[in-house]
């Protein structure tokens, strides 16, 4: 019980975007303060946080002062530089733990970990040279996607290979970085499970949502997803297996493809996830509070769904629709306070709430 | 449309308690920043506000700087000193308007206003001298309650008069302040209507809740209240009449007694109200966001009830129950981040959510 953070304790959050903002709001409901660490000025989370440190991840004095002012550290994104993590971990608990971060930072490590658990991923093979790529195409077939192993901050580092003749150009675009070739998956739909694991090892999962993307960005999540009862419980069990194997503490987003052969794990994210935003208006305890509960050592809350929800992201010029959305029935707005509505930028989301059916 | 505050605009809030805190959170959902003005240090709202000014209401330089940093000013309590209001009003719009504040600061003005609208209050009479008090007792009868006309910050200034022989002591306890004698009301229950009026004059009301007090402090609000359909619409119409008569902008709490003769207005509060906290987990748009929408010139949101709720206040030592409450099904916690759990102090509340029946 000593691990439970009490009123007035401080959660440190690495990253000050919209996820950090909504984590800060959730922490306040539990009487907890938040301190944001973020290189960018006037970040969304700073508007609702107790304190904000604006500094870069190589400023060790700033990192040290940040860590010493908080009780526990969590994060809203997975690409935290290793050197920063080394320093922070030496001063305060960092949750979720480093193994989850390491795996999600490296596509090969992630796929090896998942398949090692007996879970199914898209066929994949490691690629460094042209010979590797030829062997990889022989293994996973074409069409396929070549991706750098390490995630870039900018979302770059992907090339489609529709047929073997695309291979040289695709490999060149990797600029010598270690890469992975992923086979195309013929899936019926993408669903995601937002699952949480507490410091006491208990696991809870929200009802799976069904995701639709546009231009590579999540467009809508609909809850409940169209899933048979057996696939629904499979999806939750897959998530639970991943969390337990990592001795994970916090919320994780697990993206799954539904295929004729069953579920296939697309990607995991060791943090609150865009496809879990519906929980803000569909559950007594949302994904943000669930994450804060976990990292603060609290018991997990009740994430059962009281309402059906369709979450829609507001991207860039979608902000022009806000006046109309503000008048809609059963619609909850969540804006992120970002000054400029750039193309492709996530500016907010709406949750459209209806009575739970079934 | 020029009056609609856009992303990045700043709402100034006078008062940094739990109501200011929850207003700040609601404002963030609309992309708005908040600046709190509060004399006390480390106030609950400061943990989630963009900025906080810690200064007294007679610090005109601080008031001026505060007003100049915001786009509109609202408040979480009604006892704002007149001199502060004079200065603030000269610099920025203050919503709700001054008339609502003036009326709610003076029990006689409030009762005269309400009865002037044709609404029913408990019988009352103004008292300054012993002769007035004798005449007042003849008019309203005993038992009755003698109260100072102006509200005190400390909740003092009330004396029960069970029979005429209690009169001299009761009058002495008023210490010469203008007072009002209120007759006892034989009511079946107390309900409250949380209503809102937008800058465009539109009015919306939440479903009435039923209030139970303990030791003079709100204990629970249960939604829906036990009210016949006709009394329910009467309650909403009473609130709408009050808001329209005051050309009100914002959320108001209207406390009503249900008597065999119909509804009787107990008290109005020109602000978000403790008996409206259930809306956080029962509606797509809660009372805090509805208030921010109104003062920011936005359209009012959908306040229809999607779930039934019982709100329970957590007072003082109720904080010891938090670990158990955190494990309850269907229960949403809302803690205020107050360091000391003093007797009688509002520390938080829980909303117990169940499926809507009827």
């Amino acid at each position: 019980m000593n691990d439970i953070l009490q009123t007035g304790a401080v959660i440190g959050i690495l990253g000050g975007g919209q996820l950090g903002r909504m984590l800060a709001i959730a922490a306040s409901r539990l009487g907890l303060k938040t301190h944001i660490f973020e290189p960018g000025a006037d970040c969304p989370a700073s508007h609702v946080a107790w304190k904000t440190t604006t500094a870069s991840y190589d400023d060790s004095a700033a990192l040290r002062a940040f860590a010493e002012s908080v009780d526990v550290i969590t994060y809203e994104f997975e690409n935290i530089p290793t050197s920063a993590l080394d320093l922070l971990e030496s001063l305060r608990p960092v949750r979720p733990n480093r193994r989850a971060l390491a795996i999600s930072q490296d596509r090969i490590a992630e796929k090896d970990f998942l398949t090692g658990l007996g879970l199914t991923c898209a066929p994949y093979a490691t690629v460094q040279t042209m010979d590797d790529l030829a062997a990889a195409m022989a293994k996973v077939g074409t069409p396929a996607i070549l991706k750098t192993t390490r995630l870039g901050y900018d979302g770059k580092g992907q090339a489609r290979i529709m047929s073997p003749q695309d291979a040289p150009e695709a490999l060149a675009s990797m600029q010598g970085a270690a890469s992975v070739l992923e086979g195309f998956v013929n899936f019926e739909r993408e669903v995601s499970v937002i699952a949480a694991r507490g410091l006491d090892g208990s696991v809870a999962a929200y009802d799976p949502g069904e995701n639709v993307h546009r231009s590579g960005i999540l467009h809508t999540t609909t809850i409940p997803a169209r899933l048979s009862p057996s696939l629904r419980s499979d999806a939750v069990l897959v998530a639970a297996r991943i969390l337990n194997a990592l001795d994970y503490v916090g919320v994780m987003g697990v993206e799954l493809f539904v295929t004729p052969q069953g579920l296939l794990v697309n990607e995991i994210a060791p943090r609150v996830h865009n496809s879990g935003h519906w929980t803000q208006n569909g559950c007594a305890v949302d994904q943000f509070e669930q994450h804060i509960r976990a990292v603060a050592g609290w018991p997990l809350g009740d994430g059962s769904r009281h309402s059906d929800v369709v979450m829609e992201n507001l991207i860039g010029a979608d902000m022009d629709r806000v006046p109309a959305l503000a008048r809609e029935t059963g619609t909850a707005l969540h804006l992120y306070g970002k000054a400029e509505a750039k193309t492709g930028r996530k500016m907010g989301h709406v949750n459209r709430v209806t009575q739970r059916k079934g």
Side-chain angles (χ1 to χ4, degrees), chain A:
Chain A
M1 295 289 287
N2 286 331
D3 283 328
I4 294 183
L5 296 186
Q6 308 282 342
T7 292
V10 183
I11 311 279
I13 302 175
L14 303 172
Q18 63 269 18
L19 301 181
R21 179 179 173 100
M22 294 184 279
L23 285 168
I25 290 170
S28 82
R29 287 199 299 267
L30 303 181
L32 304 172
K33 296 176 177 171
T34 47
H35 185 162
I36 305 293
F37 190 100
E38 160 68 46
D42 190 34
C43 64
S46 70
H47 304 171
V48 291
W50 175 60
K51 279 192 181 169
T52 302
T53 294
T54 308
S56 83
Y57 284 102
D58 55 14
D59 182 341
S60 52
L63 285 168
R64 178 176 296 277
F66 165 78
E68 287 174 346
S69 81
V70 306
D71 295 283
V72 66
I73 297 169
T74 188
Y75 43 86
E76 61 146 27
F77 74 119
E78 48 270 51
N79 288 320
I80 301 158
T82 304
S83 60
L85 209 53
D86 287 341
L87 175 57
L88 296 170
E89 275 192 340
S90 74
L91 296 165
R92 291 292 183 275
V94 176
R95 297 173 185 152
N97 64 37
R98 186 151 197 164
R99 194 166 161 226
L101 268 179
I103 283 173
S104 65
Q105 284 176 352
D106 185 308
R107 294 183 200 279
I108 298 283
E110 182 176 312
K111 290 171 195 297
D112 287 350
F113 163 72
L114 293 169
T115 53
L117 289 181
L119 304 175
T120 313
C121 296
Y124 68 99
T126 307
V127 171
Q128 182 83 53
T129 66
M130 197 60 217
D131 283 351
D132 295 338
L133 182 50
M137 287 188 293
K139 179 181 172 193
V140 313
T142 54
I145 309 183
L146 190 63
K147 299 176 176 177
T148 54
T149 297
R150 309 287 299 183
L151 302 174
Y153 278 93
D154 47 10
K156 288 183 191 167
Q158 300 207 1
R160 286 196 177 203
I161 299 182
M162 298 309 289
S163 69
Q165 69 210 48
D166 299 338
E169 189 182 338
L171 187 65
S173 74
M174 299 293 110
Q175 302 184 312
S179 303
V180 58
L181 187 72
E182 293 180 10
F184 267 29
V185 175
N186 185 20
F187 61 90
E188 294 164 6
R189 57 184 62 104
E190 183 198 298
V191 301
S192 55
V193 178
I194 307 300
R197 188 167 176 277
L199 202 55
D200 60 0
S202 60
V203 172
Y206 293 96
D207 284 343
E210 183 168 336
N211 301 326
V212 173
H213 293 80
R214 273 192 192 168
S215 312
I217 301 175
L218 184 64
H219 172 51
T220 58
T221 300
T222 300
I223 293 85
R226 290 170 296 168
L227 280 176
S228 66
S230 70
L231 278 183
R232 188 169 305 162
S233 58
D234 281 357
V236 169
L237 289 171
V238 163
R241 184 178 297 185
I242 295 169
L243 295 179
N244 284 328
L246 291 171
D247 194 23
Y248 193 85
V249 174
V251 161
M252 175 181 276
V254 179
E255 292 179 13
L256 301 163
F257 291 139
V258 181
T259 77
Q261 292 76 42
L263 297 173
L264 189 148
V265 184
N266 178 37
E267 201 171 277
I268 63 174
R271 52 170 170 77
V272 288
H273 197 260
N274 194 165
S275 67
H277 291 0
W278 68 271
T279 59
Q280 293 173 310
N281 298 97
C283 308
V285 172
D286 70 19
Q287 70 162 345
F288 301 100
E289 180 175 331
Q290 199 73 299
H291 185 78
I292 296 293
R293 281 173 173 249
V295 304
W298 282 51
L300 296 180
D302 180 8
S304 60
R305 166 180 124 254
H306 60 64
S307 299
D308 290 347
V309 183
V310 178
M311 188 286 304
E312 181 188 350
N313 271 335
L314 303 178
I315 314 278
D318 285 341
M319 284 299 281
D320 297 341
R321 294 165 48 212
V322 166
L325 292 168
R327 294 175 190 279
E328 265 187 22
T329 300
T331 298
L333 267 169
H334 298 269
L335 302 183
Y336 306 152
K338 296 180 183 177
E340 266 188 280
K342 294 181 196 163
T343 303
R345 192 176 202 195
K346 290 179 179 173
M347 302 299 294
H349 63 273
V350 288
N351 285 328
R352 293 193 174 87
V353 186
T354 52
Q355 205 167 347
R356 179 177 169 150
K357 294 172 290 291

